[in-house]
Amino acid sequence: MLSLTFAAFYARMVRGNLLETLGEDYIRTARAKGLSERKVIGKHALRSSLTPVVTIFGLDFSLLLGGAILTETVFNLPGIGQLVVSAVNRNDIPVVLATTVVAALFVTTISLVVDIFYSYLDPRVRLS
Amino acid sequence: MAAERLLEVKDLKVHFNTPDGIVRAVDGVSFTLDRGETLGIVGESGSGKSVTCLTTLRLINLDTADVSGQVLFKGRDLLKVSKEELRHVRGKELSMIFQDPFACLHPYYRVGDQIMEAIHAHDGCGKNEAKKRVIELLGSVGIPRPDQRFADYPHQFSGGMRQRAMIAMALVHNPDVLIADEPTTALDVTVQAQILDLIERLKQDFNVGVILITHDLGVIADVAQKVMVMYAGRAIELASRDDMFAQPLHPYTWGLLESIPHVDQKGTRLIPIQGSPPSLIRVPPGCPFHPRCPHRFEPCDKDVPELVDRGGHPEACHLSIEDKRRLWSEREQLRKKVAS
Ligand SMILES: Nc1ncnc2c1ncn2[C@@H]1O[C@H](COP(=O)(O)OP(=O)(O)OP(=O)(O)O)[C@@H](O)[C@H]1O
Ligand SMILES: [Mg+2]
């Protein structure tokens, strides 16, 4: 649900990156090889435009989780956010602890996944 | 027997629309290139050399630039042909090596794959065959252990190796014309010599036409048959190499020649050209070189000198041919006297 608002933002970001990438010298090289415009944009330009998006996604994810607490409470939706709020209200320490651990695990796993994905996208990261 | 005419650029103009005004990056340039010939283009930084070459392959953004004139490649005007037709020329019949080897390879793809892609752009051969050809090519441009290097990423290559990889990429389809935009400027001297050797060998082996942009007149003296001198987006002198070095006609060319160490005259003094090149947004009226020219006289700041053919040696300057001969020999005398 929440991710939808982010999606629009990402689309804009990819577009912005894409326009910037199109001015790069290696895009000119791709054109000079005789590649079709579809390949130039869909392969060469898009690849570079996606990398920063992945980084930002990792950061955004924890925000999304934090945001879940607010939205789920306000709109009375069932989910991890509401669970934690009601547990705090009930002074239910074990549930608070458990959800915190789960959330923390989630965030670290995601950032690990992002890092792995990032190094897949950008070979320069892989070796250093 | 006349060699085949590969490229004929006629009155090319490239004007960029920028927030500060119109940049007249190229303003009426014409030249020809035959098979087996090397044309050298020289001129100070910002004189429009790169833009001239990029435009021949339509590699500049046409949304921000007004382009006029003709680029006839084997008779077809590349400024007019369809995108699809242009795509078949690019990288296949006409290839280009760019100025900055560090920025020209995609950082995220393996070098070998990028060259392979150049093969597959025009040739549907299988993956294994393409890979074999790339490894062969990498070897032939002097990359050691090409089979291992194939899988490297650009950042694992040195500048010289990237430039070699770019050359390999430009050669996958044995093009008829190779445009090399300062292929050695970013490299150290020994690598420079090797790269130039490589281009020279290619020219002889495959009889291609080469356009070589360089700041180094010594390189021109070594490899070019024809020289075009550019100033403020214009060709101001165009001659065979021998004419250019024996009897240069334009004062700007004189300045260029005097500002480099002479190969054959040890101990002559180097004289830099006074001033700096003009802004291409506000090119001086008349001859664009007149504010820096020590020989200017009345018409120079009013009338634009036309490119006049003086016996197969066109140049654009108001001085008479007799005056030019006299002035150049005086300058040569002076230079020798100062040196001794
Ligand atoms: N896309 C562009 N938009 C606006 N101006 C441009 C653009 N590309 C080039 N120019 C301008 O055109 C002029 C000529 O540039 P060009 O790159 O052809 O010079 P050059 O002779 O190759 O110089 P160098 O020896 O430094 O490579 C420069 O003043 C440059 O600022
Ligand atoms: Mg240049």
Side-chain angles (χ1 to χ4, degrees), chain B residues 9 18 47 56 89 96 98 101 162 175-176 209 211 240 246 264 307 313:
Chain B
V9 171
T18 70
S47 52
T56 55
V89 174
M96 191 159 174
F98 299 101
R162 286 185 218 195
D176 299 307
I211 297 180
S240 71
D264 50 338
L307 201 67
H313 183 156

Side-chain angles (χ1 to χ4, degrees), chain B residues 71-301:
Chain B
V71 176
L72 299 173
F73 176 69
K74 298 184 185 169
R76 285 171 294 172
D77 187 351
L78 293 187
L79 295 178
K80 298 241 164 57
V81 297
S82 72
K83 280 201 173 141
E84 196 51 24
E85 210 177 332
L86 181 67
R87 196 176 78 68
H88 287 296
V89 174
R90 285 177 174 173
K92 189 167 181 228
E93 297 176 87
L94 207 172
S95 290
M96 191 159 174
I97 304 168
F98 299 101
Q99 195 162 353
D100 180 2
F102 293 92
C104 287
L105 288 164
H106 199 302
Y108 298 169
Y109 293 109
R110 296 175 196 279
V111 174
D113 288 339
Q114 293 189 49
I115 301 175
M116 218 156 95
E117 195 179 38
I119 294 182
H120 283 142
H122 304 291
D123 183 339
C125 68
K127 214 170 167 182
N128 288 335
E129 198 204 320
K131 183 166 176 180
K132 219 179 84 202
R133 264 164 65 191
V134 172
I135 290 173
E136 252 173 50
L137 266 167
L138 286 175
S140 74
V141 296
I143 289 184
R145 287 177 292 113
D147 47 328
Q148 290 166 36
R149 287 305 197 157
F150 180 91
D152 276 358
Y153 287 93
H155 68 272
Q156 294 165 290
F157 270 38
S158 70
M161 278 162 66
R162 286 185 218 195
Q163 197 59 286
R164 285 166 206 261
M166 285 300 293
I167 295 176
M169 188 187 289
L171 296 175
V172 291
H173 297 290
N174 286 332
D176 299 307
V177 172
L178 179 69
I179 300 177
D181 188 355
E182 300 190 34
T184 58
T185 309
L187 310 174
D188 71 61
V189 183
T190 38
V191 183
Q192 259 184 37
Q194 292 167 359
I195 300 268
L196 288 169
D197 251 18
L198 183 65
I199 294 176
E200 187 63 10
R201 223 175 54 217
L202 289 167
K203 196 190 81 181
Q204 273 155 17
D205 291 355
F206 297 103
N207 210 17
V208 293
V210 179
I211 297 180
L212 181 70
I213 301 181
T214 173
H215 284 146
D216 191 338
L217 284 166
V219 169
I220 297 279
D222 277 346
V223 304
Q225 281 81 54
K226 275 198 318 204
V227 193
M228 176 162 86
V229 184
M230 285 189 70
Y231 188 79
R234 294 170 212 189
I236 52 119
E237 186 164 1
L238 193 66
S240 71
R241 174 198 49 196
D242 296 343
D243 282 356
M244 192 66 89
F245 285 96
Q247 184 50 263
L249 293 179
H250 198 287
Y252 176 63
T253 313
W254 300 345
L256 281 183
L257 287 168
E258 285 167 357
S259 61
I260 57 148
H262 242 270
V263 207
D264 50 338
Q265 298 162 8
K266 283 213 180 64
T268 47
R269 211 174 69 140
L270 302 186
I271 311 161
I273 306 176
Q274 297 299 312
S276 50
S279 144
L280 294 180
I281 296 179
R282 272 170 291 279
V283 181
C287 170
F289 185 59
H290 85 261
R292 301 169 76 189
C293 181
H295 309 296
R296 63 172 174 264
F297 60 119
E298 311 93 67
C300 296
D301 60 354

